[in-house]
Amino acid sequence: MKRERLVETFKTMVQIDSQSGEEGAMHEFLTDKFKQLGLTVKEDDSMLSTGLGANNLVATLAGTNTAKEPIFFSAHTDTVSPGNGIKVVERDGVLYSDGTTILGADDKAGIAIMLEAIETIIEEELPTGKVEFVLSPGEEIGLVGSSAMSMDLIESRVGYVLDNAGPVGSAIIASPTLYMYDVTITGKAAHAGLEPEKGVSAMAVLAQALPHIQTGRIDAETTANIGVISGGQATNVVMDEAVLKGEVRSISKDKADALIKEMTQAFETAAKDNGAEVAINVDLKATGYRMTDDLTVMKLFRRSVEALAIAPRTEVSGGGSDANVFNAKGKEVVNLSIGYEEIHTTSEYIPVSEMEKGVALVLRLIEHSPTKK
């Protein structure tokens, strides 16, 4: 492993603008880089269906040990805004932006870790089985790239997403099912002072439905929120339309489903009682997962972290990642911490020492991957 090369690779990549939907240049760079390192690269046609700036990529290191089970690592190539024109500042072994943009360690630190691990394997002639590196666009806007990917592109059954905050040595073992929904209530306008009885009030529907919808912290693994309510034309017009947007998250899909059913029934009943119409659109953004210690992905994680003299840590997350998609599609995957902090802000940073630990962990995971049965 070479610290200077790791840092330079990271700096090069974060200076390639790749906000969500604009990942094309980043994917061109990665395709060229993987091929220069001798990996084969497969690309799907997901851009056609998603409208994103690039397709999913899977780069494969063939390895020399055919007795090993294949393993994969995943990172996303898009960033949030402000993510254009990033300038990296290094202070006391920690990488920051200049304060006008994000840093982009989420998730280009994960990609830099992948590339340095590959360089190290090649230079030190380390024996490995087949290793696949999966790069997806559109993660920050709803796991769009990975959701559009066919799992036929990935041979490995077990994998690790390199995309969580905090010190290396932690894994997200549970992540929620996430539903986002919008509700459009259509009533009838009328003059509120002259003939309100001729109107059908969308506000009346809201007033009846909302007390029957749970929000906030429901229990230890479940939350719900209504974040947007808009509607109306003027104070003297009966509100003829209202739009509401909300979400439900739970580690238990059954609980999430129950809350969505509760919301739907509340609005349908209120609309009927008030003579209004209602259209409800529910979008499943991520399917939750929960890992147990007996699974290969967890046994391999614990063994590899302990080999670095780090105590393994586990987390339950309130957010989703590409790991949710991979698990829903039949893979066995957890999301690993890679050292970045304060993501999605202009104060984002990552210690170089954590990136180095990330490389070491990837190498141990490859080394300890199981033998084929």
Side-chain angles (χ1 to χ4, degrees):
M1 187 194 316
K2 295 181 178 177
R3 180 190 189 278
E4 296 78 9
R5 182 174 59 201
L6 173 62
V7 172
E8 188 58 34
T9 298
F10 175 77
K11 288 181 177 179
T12 297
M13 289 193 298
V14 298
Q15 291 175 65
I16 301 172
D17 297 342
S18 62
Q19 291 182 162
S20 300
E22 302 170 359
E23 304 93 342
M26 184 65 187
H27 281 236
E28 289 179 11
F29 169 83
L30 288 172
T31 298
D32 290 344
K33 184 68 175 179
F34 282 126
K35 288 181 177 179
Q36 289 169 13
L37 292 171
L39 280 70
T40 58
V41 180
K42 295 182 289 187
E43 180 178 354
D44 67 9
D45 60 356
S46 56
M47 184 167 58
L48 294 174
S49 61
T50 63
L52 292 172
N55 294 316
N56 291 292
L57 299 177
V58 178
T60 302
L61 179 69
T64 56
N65 187 349
T66 58
K68 286 271 193 181
E69 289 282 355
I71 186 173
F72 80 91
F73 298 90
S74 170
H76 65 86
T77 56
D78 63 321
T79 71
V80 298
S81 63
N84 290 342
I86 295 172
K87 296 180 176 63
V88 181
V89 177
E90 184 171 357
R91 295 194 301 270
D92 301 322
V94 180
L95 304 178
Y96 305 84
S97 75
D98 65 0
T100 63
T101 67
I102 60 166
L103 175 62
D106 174 19
D107 191 22
K108 291 180 182 177
I111 304 172
I113 287 168
M114 289 181 181
L115 291 172
E116 184 57 31
I118 295 167
E119 298 263 21
T120 302
I121 289 167
I122 293 170
E123 288 181 350
E124 298 184 12
E125 299 182 345
L126 301 178
T128 74
K130 180 179 291 186
V131 187
E132 298 172 304
F133 300 90
V134 181
L135 290 307
S136 298
E139 190 269 356
E140 298 288 8
I141 53 174
L143 316 179
V144 177
S146 59
S147 295
M149 181 188 296
S150 168
M151 292 301 102
D152 291 342
L153 284 176
I154 306 172
E155 180 182 341
S156 308
R157 184 181 65 85
V158 171
Y160 297 87
V161 172
L162 306 178
D163 186 27
N164 190 42
V168 171
S170 183
I172 292 178
I173 61 167
S175 180
T177 290
L178 168 60
Y179 287 108
M180 293 185 180
Y181 64 85
D182 57 76
V183 179
T184 301
I185 304 164
T186 303
K188 181 180 179 182
H191 194 290
L194 299 179
E195 46 187 11
E197 59 277 347
K198 290 187 177 180
V200 176
S201 174
M203 178 55 70
V205 177
L206 285 170
Q208 180 177 328
L210 290 176
H212 300 283
I213 299 170
Q214 299 180 72
T215 58
R217 170 68 66 183
I218 310 302
D219 58 36
E221 59 184 16
T222 310
T223 62
N225 185 57
I226 294 172
V228 176
I229 298 179
S230 61
Q233 303 175 41
T235 60
N236 63 347
V237 179
V238 173
M239 184 185 292
D240 63 336
E241 184 175 271
V243 176
L244 176 147
K245 297 179 184 292
E247 68 165 41
V248 169
R249 301 174 188 241
S250 183
I251 302 299
S252 164
K253 188 173 184 299
D254 287 345
K255 291 180 180 179
D257 290 344
L259 287 170
I260 290 296
K261 182 178 180 180
E262 173 186 274
M263 177 275 299
T264 301
Q265 290 179 338
F267 277 110
E268 288 178 345
T269 298
K272 182 178 180 181
D273 290 349
N274 288 276
E277 296 181 358
V278 64
I280 302 172
N281 179 58
V282 178
D283 188 6
L284 175 62
K285 291 294 187 180
T287 301
Y289 68 87
R290 185 188 293 277
M291 294 298 172
T292 54
D293 286 342
D294 60 316
L295 295 174
T296 300
V297 71
M298 291 305 299
K299 292 178 180 178
L300 180 54
F301 162 72
R302 291 185 180 280
R303 180 183 177 190
S304 300
V305 171
E306 289 168 353
L308 299 177
I310 299 173
R313 304 179 305 279
T314 58
E315 303 176 39
V316 174
S317 175
S321 73
D322 285 333
N324 291 71
V325 175
F326 293 130
N327 281 301
K329 292 187 175 186
K331 302 297 182 181
E332 194 174 293
V333 181
V334 294
N335 188 4
L336 301 181
S337 295
I338 57 172
Y340 55 61
E341 304 285 356
E342 298 193 37
I343 59 168
H344 297 188
T345 75
T346 56
S347 299
E348 182 186 5
Y349 67 91
I350 187 167
V352 177
S353 60
E354 288 299 321
M355 292 175 68
E356 291 177 302
K357 290 177 186 176
V359 176
L361 178 54
V362 167
L363 293 172
R364 295 294 84 72
L365 288 165
I366 294 170
E367 176 188 352
H368 296 146
S369 60
T371 301
K372 294 177 180 177
K373 296 179 180 178

